[in-house]
Amino acid sequence: MTDKTSALDAGRDIVAKLNPPLEGQLAEAYDELVPDFAETLVEWAYGRHYARPGLDLKTRQLCTIAALTVLGGQTAPQLKVNIRHTLSAGASRTEIIEAIWQMAVYGGLPAAINGLNAAKELFTELDAAA
Amino acid sequence: MTDKTSALDAGRDIVAKLNPPLEGQLAEAYDELVPDFAETLVEWAYGRHYARPGLDLKTRQLCTIAALTVLGGQTAPQLKVNIRHTLSAGASRTEIIEAIWQMAVYGGLPAAINGLNAAKELFTELDAAA
Amino acid sequence: MTDKTSALDAGRDIVAKLNPPLEGQLAEAYDELVPDFAETLVEWAYGRHYARPGLDLKTRQLCTIAALTVLGGQTAPQLKVNIRHTLSAGASRTEIIEAIWQMAVYGGLPAAINGLNAAKELFTELDAAA
Amino acid sequence: MTDKTSALDAGRDIVAKLNPPLEGQLAEAYDELVPDFAETLVEWAYGRHYARPGLDLKTRQLCTIAALTVLGGQTAPQLKVNIRHTLSAGASRTEIIEAIWQMAVYGGLPAAINGLNAAKELFTELDAAA
Amino acid sequence: MTDKTSALDAGRDIVAKLNPPLEGQLAEAYDELVPDFAETLVEWAYGRHYARPGLDLKTRQLCTIAALTVLGGQTAPQLKVNIRHTLSAGASRTEIIEAIWQMAVYGGLPAAINGLNAAKELFTELDAAA
Amino acid sequence: MTDKTSALDAGRDIVAKLNPPLEGQLAEAYDELVPDFAETLVEWAYGRHYARPGLDLKTRQLCTIAALTVLGGQTAPQLKVNIRHTLSAGASRTEIIEAIWQMAVYGGLPAAINGLNAAKELFTELDAAA
């Protein structure tokens, strides 16, 4: 892809499927501190990765769930947001939990348990809002 | 699952699909140093995780690829073995590479690039043996 | 060990020494989300590791304190539980603190200080309950 | 430097520039738990590193900001303290934020975003106290 | 910055100062495996971060040296390349070594020592080529 | 301890038990690059930690083995040196291997397996030199 505007547009198309308010929320939270933050993130993460062909969106999101879990409990804010995205991408709660629990093998029990804790919190928030 | 023998058996069924010689190779390399090593690993990783319902084997393996990549280049030996397993589970080389490259977003460029380096090595080995 | 039921039983024997209510608490917190969670954890961590001969239980627990500390402050929930277990295994508070503080050498000052913070919290809880 | 007392003195000179109450606060928080803690930390971190010639104090502090960010959100307590020190060393808030945001390249977006969150908290505290 | 072509151009301007052959080398090594790899990296790392105002290029590079060191010895390939870039940005070998050694405080002695080892290797290569 | 010279002396006493040539080897390898490196390391790691009362030397070394393992395979150089030290401190090869293997629980299988690989290499070197 050599047309940089397309990376941002492609990223925005993905965000429209996963979490439409995301870019606006990021801009509100960070653009004052870091000029161009929201646009850069959407272009990089969603345009330059999630929008790529070769791996479907639901699997990409489950890979992200696994990665955030194995990194450790400090990624809880990002894990919770990405669990929402993974549900939007068509995964079930069971698939998400299984990807998290599997990380006990590769990152150890603390990382996996803290991932399960983040998932429980997020599911509780979703159920309360339902 | 309350029947522990079933966890080992279930693990062995998975290994038969992914990499039949694995348990024997692990036993030869580690059982003298760590009694019960190979059996314990097959029971824990494959019986207690990969054999579980709720997430398909190919997606599980791609999640593992993502996790090993995001942890960093020091997991190269495990990443190479698991790339073989992920191909056995039905993933394409493209899907594997895409999962690795996506980790630049969550673990940074060094982790992703070192993952790509491990994949290139493994593909070269496979092509040489073909 | 080839008898898988023994791994779970051996694990339960260890848990009875370290923290009798543990399996029930884990089952209540996680078994609905992850079927077989509590039993799997007791079998794997306590049956397949802590119950092994070759390293005494108190030293095993101090090694765990060191490991959780060096991984970083995100393991605080697990570190606090394991400090309880390490006291049950016969270690003194001083031995535990010394293991944590030594991690400044191998994981850096932030990891060690966050480990000391978790220990202080746990000791305060124990003293309040005494 | 072969005169060990000088390392502690040199460290104290640096702390006097960055955050005069630091050693006393550390002693109050940790010396009972870890005898000699505060003095050891000042000697090691500030005497044996920050006081060294060869790299100026402001750049040293910005390197620390980068390091704490890339390690992940679990270092938030240390990152906030070191942001204060980095301002004392003559850096602007913009320079600090740029060093944090750059860590998205090397440690991934979660680490960088959690670093920005710590910075926002700290700036809010400073502005409230002003 | 809303003109995406400028991010790639701005990135290329930085690369021209630090290491002119870089994009071509990355394209040769990775573009077949990951379409658009080299361009994406230059746009993201150099256009979206290094080219930003607010923090000078030499300090940015020293922050990168610190970050790669504190992450651990597995980043040695990236650390060696970035040491070259940091010299191009106007830092001395002493400044680079001091930034690496300081990481013993924040990431522990192993990370710092492995960083020094990577620096020694790179300096030996540079001296041999001189 | 308020007498800084004693920290270095106390550290040298410990090194005399664990690995007498260590300070000289470190000085030869690093003192030219980092003035005062060897003395600083002996004072900090051995004088300020290993020489402290409250935890015996053999347990301290086993905690270090656990920590280096759980950090991941990139610490292999440090792990091998510390396995030598742990044997000097009176631990058996079995105790060392058990501490390493237990890290599969807290840091995951890759970290533990790479630790076992480092141990195997070191034991082979020792047996060849015997």
Side-chain angles (χ1 to χ4, degrees), chain D residues 1 4 35-36 39 43, chain F residues 1 4 36 39 43 52:
Chain D
M1 191 192 297
K4 300 306 160 288
D36 293 326
E39 206 174 84
E43 175 190 75
Chain F
M1 190 191 296
K4 301 306 161 291
D36 294 325
E39 207 174 84
E43 175 191 75
R52 292 174 65 95

Side-chain angles (χ1 to χ4, degrees), chain D residues 1-5 7-8 33-37 39-41 43-44 48-49 52, chain F residues 1-5 7-8 33-37 39-41 43-44 48-49 52:
Chain D
M1 191 192 297
T2 56
D3 179 349
K4 300 306 160 288
T5 310
L8 179 59
L33 201 63
V34 181
D36 293 326
F37 175 89
E39 206 174 84
T40 303
L41 184 150
E43 175 190 75
W44 165 241
R48 285 302 193 175
H49 291 272
R52 291 173 67 93
Chain F
M1 190 191 296
T2 55
D3 178 352
K4 301 306 161 291
T5 309
L8 180 58
L33 201 64
V34 180
D36 294 325
F37 175 89
E39 207 174 84
T40 302
L41 184 150
E43 175 191 75
W44 164 241
R48 286 299 194 177
H49 291 273
R52 292 174 65 95

Side-chain angles (χ1 to χ4, degrees), chain A residues 51-66:
Chain A
R52 292 173 64 94
L55 187 61
D56 65 285
L57 187 58
K58 174 183 154 185
T59 306
R60 285 188 177 278
Q61 280 292 156
L62 286 164
C63 284
T64 292
I65 296 302

Side-chain angles (χ1 to χ4, degrees), chain B residues 1-5 7-8 40 43-44 47-48, chain C residues 1 3-12 15 23 36-51, chain F residues 105:
Chain B
M1 191 191 296
T2 56
D3 178 350
K4 300 304 160 292
T5 310
L8 179 59
T40 302
E43 175 190 76
W44 165 241
R48 285 300 193 177
Chain C
M1 191 191 295
D3 178 351
K4 300 303 159 291
T5 310
S6 288
L8 179 58
D9 287 344
R12 284 174 168 158
V15 170
E23 191 178 345
D36 293 326
F37 176 88
E39 207 174 83
T40 303
L41 183 150
V42 169
E43 175 190 77
W44 164 241
Y46 295 100
R48 286 299 193 177
H49 292 272
Y50 283 94
Chain F
V105 178

Side-chain angles (χ1 to χ4, degrees), chain E residues 66-124:
Chain E
L68 292 172
T69 300
V70 90
L71 282 173
Q74 73 281 6
T75 67
Q78 293 79 39
L79 181 57
K80 289 172 72 175
V81 169
N82 273 278
I83 289 173
R84 289 182 182 261
H85 295 186
T86 309
L87 292 166
S88 299
S92 66
R93 289 191 183 187
T94 296
E95 288 179 305
I96 290 167
I97 290 300
E98 290 291 326
I100 290 174
W101 178 227
Q102 184 176 308
M103 295 301 105
V105 178
Y106 298 101
L109 281 174
I113 290 171
N114 289 329
L116 293 176
N117 291 341
K120 285 175 72 177
E121 269 184 47
L122 188 276
F123 292 158
T124 299

Side-chain angles (χ1 to χ4, degrees), chain D residues 11-12 16 19 21-22 35 39 58-59 69 74 84 89 103 107 125 129:
Chain D
R12 284 174 168 158
N19 184 359
L22 181 71
E39 206 174 84
K58 175 183 153 185
T59 305
T69 299
Q74 73 281 7
R84 288 182 183 261
M103 295 301 105
E125 289 167 25

Side-chain angles (χ1 to χ4, degrees), chain E residues 8-43:
Chain E
L8 179 59
D9 287 345
R12 285 175 167 157
D13 286 347
I14 297 289
V15 171
K17 291 181 204 170
L18 295 177
N19 184 359
L22 181 71
E23 190 178 347
Q25 292 170 342
L26 292 174
E28 196 183 316
Y30 299 105
D31 268 17
E32 195 185 328
L33 199 63
V34 180
D36 293 324
F37 175 89
E39 207 173 84
T40 302
L41 184 150
V42 170
E43 175 190 76

Side-chain angles (χ1 to χ4, degrees), chain D residues 13-49:
Chain D
D13 287 347
I14 297 288
V15 170
K17 291 180 203 169
L18 296 178
N19 184 359
L22 181 71
E23 191 178 346
Q25 292 171 342
L26 291 174
E28 197 183 316
Y30 298 104
D31 269 17
E32 196 185 328
L33 201 63
V34 181
D36 293 326
F37 175 89
E39 206 174 84
T40 303
L41 184 150
V42 170
E43 175 190 75
W44 165 241
Y46 295 99
R48 285 302 193 175
H49 291 272

